[in-house]
Amino acid sequence: MEEWAAPLVLSLKICITASVFVAILGVWAAWWMTRRKRRGRLFIETVFMLPLVLPPTVIGFLLLVALGRRGWVGIAYEWLFNQSIIFTWIAGVVAAVVVAFPLVYQTMKTGFQGVERHLEDAARSAGAKEWQVFRYVTLPLAGRSFVSSYILGFARSLGEFGATLMIAGNIPGVTQTTPTAIYTAVEAGHMPLAWSWTAAMIILSFLMLIVTGRLNESMNNK
């Protein structure tokens, strides 16, 4: 039982951690891009959305170069923590954040664009600082988008496979997530085991959608 549960627990650990980071990054990036005119806006947005269309193996390769012992991020991490980030669960978090970011960013961008500027201007004229305008006006009015973006980020992190396999590996009990465990089980011909993990993922995803629907309904009724 413990061996069966290990990939699920690790997947949830990676997803929860990644979803928090990607929510913060996605909200900040969307707010930064929608509240002022930016030079090179098209180029910046293209970079933000690139992980959505790149093959996971390409993302994994680029992350492997950046996080490896010859990449500056990998060198900095190893200097700080005295170990390589490659083939650790943290590498799985990084992969999940990268692939989930475009979904979170695009959803939050749409939400922020729907907030009427005159409401923000009214708060500023009343003496509110920018962080107060964001905290008490912009973010609450984009609440539905925030909930949707968080769930999308969590779901995308949960299903991440290609990039994770390249930089975190598939080490049982260490970096083996549920998607990689299913792949290994199918490859080895252990179909009942693959089905059990698949069923767990389906149930978890179904529950996430139910929660999202309930939250959206409650926000609509307010």
Side-chain angles (χ1 to χ4, degrees):
M1 183 64 182
E2 184 179 344
E3 188 175 327
W4 176 84
L8 291 170
V9 172
L10 182 60
S11 288
L12 289 174
K13 181 181 177 181
I14 288 174
C15 287
I16 292 169
T17 306
S19 61
V20 171
F21 278 106
V22 78
I24 294 170
L25 289 172
V27 168
W28 175 81
W31 179 81
W32 184 73
M33 288 293 289
T34 56
R35 285 303 169 263
R36 288 182 179 85
K37 290 184 179 180
R38 304 290 174 187
R39 293 184 62 182
R41 180 189 183 91
L42 180 60
F43 176 80
I44 296 171
E45 286 211 317
T46 302
V47 172
F48 283 170
M49 299 303 294
L50 209 52
L52 193 64
V53 296
L54 282 176
T57 48
V58 173
I59 297 172
F61 173 73
L62 294 174
L63 288 175
L64 191 62
V65 172
L67 302 179
R69 291 191 167 181
R70 293 185 180 181
W72 66 271
V73 178
I75 292 171
Y77 185 90
E78 192 163 352
W79 180 76
L80 286 171
F81 300 101
N82 200 30
Q83 66 173 5
S84 173
I85 193 173
I86 300 298
F87 300 127
T88 65
W89 75 275
I90 298 296
V93 172
V94 173
V97 167
V98 170
V99 299
F101 176 81
L103 294 174
V104 176
Y105 167 75
Q106 189 62 39
T107 306
M108 285 310 304
K109 176 186 164 186
T110 302
F112 286 149
Q113 286 175 336
V115 175
E116 296 185 21
R117 296 295 182 89
H118 70 86
L119 297 174
E120 296 175 323
D121 292 337
R124 291 187 187 98
S125 66
K129 296 179 180 179
E130 281 301 318
W131 71 268
Q132 292 174 317
V133 174
F134 173 79
R135 168 66 180 84
Y136 295 106
V137 179
T138 310
L139 192 58
L141 290 175
R144 274 198 300 172
S145 294
F146 179 75
V147 171
S148 298
S149 68
Y150 182 84
I151 297 295
L152 283 172
F154 189 96
R156 184 64 186 88
S157 301
L158 187 65
E160 167 50 30
F161 174 76
T164 301
L165 188 63
M166 289 195 70
I167 66 170
N170 187 21
I171 308 168
V174 181
T175 62
Q176 187 179 66
T177 60
T178 309
T180 57
I182 292 171
Y183 173 80
T184 301
V186 171
E187 196 175 42
H190 299 151
M191 298 306 291
L193 189 58
W195 269 113
S196 65
W197 278 321
T198 300
M201 292 284 279
I202 291 172
I203 292 170
L204 182 59
S205 300
F206 183 81
L207 291 174
M208 283 167 47
L209 290 174
I210 290 291
V211 170
T212 305
R214 289 286 179 87
L215 287 172
N216 283 331
E217 282 182 5
S218 65
M219 286 183 172
N220 285 332
N221 292 331
K222 285 183 180 180

